[in-house]
Amino acid sequence: MIRISIIGFGNVGKYVYEALQAAPDMKVCGIVETPNVPVPQGMNDLWITDIKNVRDKGDIDVAVLCLPSRVCPDAAETLLKMGISTVDAYDIHSDIWKEKSRLDAVAKEAGKAAVIAAGWDPGTDSVLRALMEAMAPRGISYVDFGPGMSMGHSVAAKAIEGVENALSMTIPAGAGVHRRMVYVQLKSGADITKVTQMIKADPYFSHDETHVKQVDDITALFDMGHGVRITRKGSCGNTHNQIMEFSMRINNPALTSQVLVSCARAVTKQAPGCYTLIEIPVIDLLPGEREDLVNRLV
Amino acid sequence: MIRISIIGFGNVGKYVYEALQAAPDMKVCGIVETPNVPVPQGMNDLWITDIKNVRDKGDIDVAVLCLPSRVCPDAAETLLKMGISTVDAYDIHSDIWKEKSRLDAVAKEAGKAAVIAAGWDPGTDSVLRALMEAMAPRGISYVDFGPGMSMGHSVAAKAIEGVENALSMTIPAGAGVHRRMVYVQLKSGADITKVTQMIKADPYFSHDETHVKQVDDITALFDMGHGVRITRKGSCGNTHNQIMEFSMRINNPALTSQVLVSCARAVTKQAPGCYTLIEIPVIDLLPGEREDLVNRLV
């Protein structure tokens, strides 16, 4: 059994816990949260309130980081230096190479492995983009997200003056273009016309077609479903019009968590260093014997 | 530049040649064919008529086997023992593990690497099946092929008494069930009713819904387009109804050849041994610097 610590027990952490319960080869050996978070019912035997004590409930092979992206690299560094392999779903695309390079050196020094950016985008979508390019080296790929809630855009809308709560839906308009549907619950006395103007002027929204709608209660709209469509039309040698498409409709944090858990398995099979998902053989994500997997899946 | 020899210059061999012309990091350094095949125009400088002389037109890093599946493993063994890495699109699913295990030992002994079953199914479809299972570990995947010509079924129909020429189309009926549309050109005096009965009784067709149609000229129907749809509906932890789908419409030998060429690049990056596509990181299939690939695709 691979011994796992869950670092952070928010939305993703809870789904990681569920995915681990369903995994035949892994065991939860600790959950780390900050002292202000109340211990959930039945979790006393796993609960740890300081990352320094991550081994207090038993030895750990892999720490699954269920933390906001911006704090993941430092937490990974801390854990790697403690001799624990790490997996995270760091999603700041522009900084992945920089953070991967930094953690690669830390991991090698510690003789452990790390997987970074192990969600669905970045993550499994990255594998699909790379595979499609290997199948049709010249051509154009489009990634269309949604319909689904964008956390970043929702937070940006919520920060606008007069907004009590907000939810921003990403609507795919095709060919990588997206429309934003922003649902806002206003503070008493706020003016929807003014709020709409300010949202449309915000850098998060100013480049996209944006619609703002006032609702009484944002929580009534809450749904964690999301989706993506990746299309590529390209050529092999002199042969054009090779057409491929991947699409999915999924519960967003549940899939992110499952990819983290599959990568927690894979990380135990990698040489010391830090990897993105496109640098790991997909077979390493799965439980079971190599012979069975090749016979069943190849 | 990776120095490539093309072994066999039939349909796939010709598309491999085209894909290699478009690859920025590979060079054709020989084409091996049997002496009875006439040298195509402009190919004299590359043409070799005995596999023993595979290095006659220059040193070789990788041999791309464009041969019928049944002769691939022995050809791979011969070339590996000569110190040349190999790639093939061996497609007899039931024997892949056996042949991979045999070639693994040969490759390790030779200090070279081999990739086996590197087409689209087995091949890139295998990667997709494995990835989808890592994303939703419990559930059912379906693979629906077509519409497209099945070489095996066409050959089986052609072998029926009274059949001059035949083409069998695979038509997807959903959930992994397929219908066979068999177009036959009859020999003079043959009876379509009797031919239809014999085709439907043949083990290649007896388990599927099969329709037989008589045509004057099979060559008028010829088209190498094919397709596949892979669907999975499964669960992550306690979250059900995670739905994903991959589909493509492609020129069949052109895609097979492109996957072979991408794997010819990847094989140079593997430790000695024999690999299927699910055992290779997808990044290794692509040309270019790791940093650029991670920045662009992850």
Side-chain angles (χ1 to χ4, degrees):
Chain A
M1 297 294 268
I2 304 168
R3 302 174 61 87
I4 305 283
S5 174
I6 301 172
I7 313 296
F9 206 61
N11 229 340
V12 168
K14 285 166 190 161
Y15 280 106
V16 163
Y17 181 80
E18 289 182 1
L20 287 167
Q21 301 298 112
D25 55 343
M26 290 191 264
K27 191 184 168 189
V28 184
C29 298
I31 297 171
V32 179
E33 250 301 352
T34 47
N36 60 310
V37 173
V39 187
Q41 205 173 15
M43 295 288 182
N44 258 313
D45 289 355
L46 295 169
W47 210 252
I48 296 163
T49 54
D50 190 328
I51 203 165
K52 285 201 300 285
N53 306 324
V54 64
R55 289 193 175 94
D56 263 14
K57 306 292 183 182
D59 200 21
I60 300 296
D61 300 309
V62 183
V64 178
L65 277 56
C66 308
L67 304 169
S69 276
R70 67 185 185 283
V71 301
C72 276
D74 284 350
E77 181 173 358
T78 300
L79 288 154
L80 286 165
K81 284 181 173 168
M82 291 170 75
I84 298 170
S85 290
T86 64
V87 175
D88 68 55
Y90 184 80
D91 69 352
I92 305 168
H93 286 261
S94 55
D95 289 345
I96 290 171
W97 178 261
K98 184 186 78 185
E99 296 299 350
K100 170 184 138 71
S101 302
R102 178 162 78 88
L103 290 177
D104 191 61
V106 175
K108 282 174 175 157
E109 174 77 22
K112 294 290 162 185
V115 182
I116 188 173
W120 59 271
D121 203 316
T124 49
D125 281 1
S126 316
V127 174
L128 290 158
R129 282 189 284 267
L131 187 68
M132 287 184 184
E133 203 167 296
M135 294 163 76
R138 295 189 283 199
I140 301 175
S141 295
Y142 291 114
V143 182
D144 294 293
F145 294 103
M149 197 182 93
S150 165
M151 189 64 84
H153 289 80
S154 298
V155 169
K158 201 173 166 178
I160 299 287
E161 197 187 325
V163 176
E164 175 71 32
N165 205 351
L167 188 158
S168 178
M169 292 291 287
T170 303
I171 309 293
V177 174
H178 296 90
R179 186 149 52 89
R180 310 288 167 186
M181 299 292 295
V182 189
Y183 300 87
V184 289
Q185 184 181 329
L186 296 190
K187 286 180 180 159
S188 164
D191 171 25
I192 183 64
T193 310
K194 201 171 163 201
V195 164
T196 300
Q197 272 173 0
M198 288 170 77
I199 289 176
K200 288 188 178 185
D202 189 280
Y204 259 88
F205 297 97
S206 59
H207 301 290
D208 296 331
E209 181 192 332
T210 300
H211 300 260
V212 181
K213 287 181 186 292
Q214 184 177 359
V215 297
D216 292 338
D217 179 11
I218 286 296
T219 60
L221 310 183
F222 197 64
D223 165 56
M224 290 186 287
H226 216 305
V228 72
R229 170 171 283 123
I230 306 175
T231 54
R232 184 170 182 81
K233 185 167 74 66
S235 64
C236 311
N238 298 337
T239 305
H240 298 255
N241 205 33
Q242 303 285 74
I243 293 172
M244 49 202 77
E245 175 177 311
F246 173 84
S247 62
M248 63 180 181
R249 295 296 304 152
I250 44 85
N251 174 317
N252 183 355
L255 179 58
T256 299
S257 302
Q258 182 61 58
V259 176
L260 281 167
V261 167
S262 295
C263 286
R265 178 181 294 121
V267 78
T268 65
K269 302 171 190 171
Q270 308 309 308
C274 180
Y275 304 82
T276 59
L277 210 38
I278 66 171
E279 298 168 282
I280 293 175
V282 288
I283 197 171
D284 290 352
L285 301 171
L286 299 170
E289 294 300 317
R290 183 165 296 253
E291 178 172 352
D292 295 338
L293 292 168
V294 168
N295 280 330
R296 194 163 57 74
L297 295 168
V298 177
Chain B
M1 297 293 269
I2 303 168
R3 302 173 62 85
I4 305 283
S5 173
I6 301 172
I7 314 294
F9 205 62
N11 228 341
V12 169
K14 286 167 191 160
Y15 281 105
V16 163
Y17 180 81
E18 289 183 2
L20 286 167
Q21 301 298 112
D25 55 343
M26 290 191 263
K27 190 183 167 190
V28 184
C29 299
I31 298 170
V32 179
E33 250 301 352
T34 48
N36 61 309
V37 173
V39 187
Q41 205 173 14
M43 295 289 182
N44 258 312
D45 290 355
L46 295 169
W47 210 250
I48 295 164
T49 55
D50 190 329
I51 203 167
K52 287 201 300 283
N53 306 325
V54 64
R55 289 192 174 95
D56 264 13
K57 306 292 183 182
D59 200 21
I60 301 295
D61 301 308
V62 183
V64 179
L65 278 55
C66 307
L67 303 169
S69 276
R70 66 183 185 286
V71 302
C72 276
D74 285 349
E77 181 173 356
T78 300
L79 288 155
L80 287 165
K81 285 182 172 166
M82 292 169 75
I84 298 170
S85 291
T86 65
V87 175
D88 69 56
Y90 184 80
D91 69 353
I92 305 168
H93 285 261
S94 55
D95 289 346
I96 290 171
W97 178 261
K98 184 185 78 184
E99 296 298 351
K100 170 184 137 72
S101 303
R102 179 163 77 87
L103 290 178
D104 192 61
V106 175
K108 281 173 175 159
E109 174 76 22
K112 295 290 163 182
V115 182
I116 190 173
W120 58 271
D121 204 316
T124 49
D125 281 2
S126 316
V127 174
L128 291 158
R129 282 188 286 266
L131 187 68
M132 286 184 184
E133 203 166 297
M135 295 163 76
R138 294 188 286 200
I140 301 176
S141 295
Y142 292 115
V143 182
D144 293 293
F145 293 104
M149 198 182 92
S150 164
M151 188 64 84
H153 288 80
S154 298
V155 169
K158 200 173 165 178
I160 299 287
E161 198 188 324
V163 177
E164 176 70 33
N165 205 350
L167 188 158
S168 179
M169 291 292 289
T170 303
I171 310 293
V177 174
H178 296 92
R179 185 150 51 88
R180 309 289 168 186
M181 299 292 293
V182 189
Y183 300 86
V184 290
Q185 184 181 329
L186 295 190
K187 285 180 180 161
S188 163
D191 172 24
I192 183 66
T193 310
K194 203 172 160 197
V195 163
T196 300
Q197 272 174 1
M198 288 171 74
I199 288 176
K200 289 187 176 183
D202 189 279
Y204 260 88
F205 298 96
S206 59
H207 302 290
D208 296 332
E209 181 191 332
T210 299
H211 300 260
V212 180
K213 287 182 188 291
Q214 185 177 356
V215 297
D216 292 336
D217 179 12
I218 287 297
T219 59
L221 310 183
F222 197 66
D223 166 55
M224 291 187 285
H226 216 307
V228 73
R229 169 172 284 122
I230 306 174
T231 54
R232 184 170 182 82
K233 184 167 75 65
S235 63
C236 311
N238 297 337
T239 306
H240 298 255
N241 204 33
Q242 303 285 75
I243 293 174
M244 47 203 76
E245 175 177 313
F246 173 84
S247 63
M248 63 180 180
R249 296 295 304 154
I250 44 86
N251 173 316
N252 183 356
L255 179 57
T256 300
S257 302
Q258 182 61 59
V259 176
L260 281 167
V261 166
S262 295
C263 286
R265 176 182 295 120
V267 78
T268 64
K269 302 171 189 170
Q270 309 309 307
C274 180
Y275 303 81
T276 59
L277 211 38
I278 65 173
E279 298 168 283
I280 294 175
V282 289
I283 197 172
D284 290 352
L285 300 171
L286 299 170
E289 293 300 316
R290 182 164 297 254
E291 179 173 352
D292 295 337
L293 292 168
V294 168
N295 280 331
R296 193 161 58 74
L297 295 167
V298 175

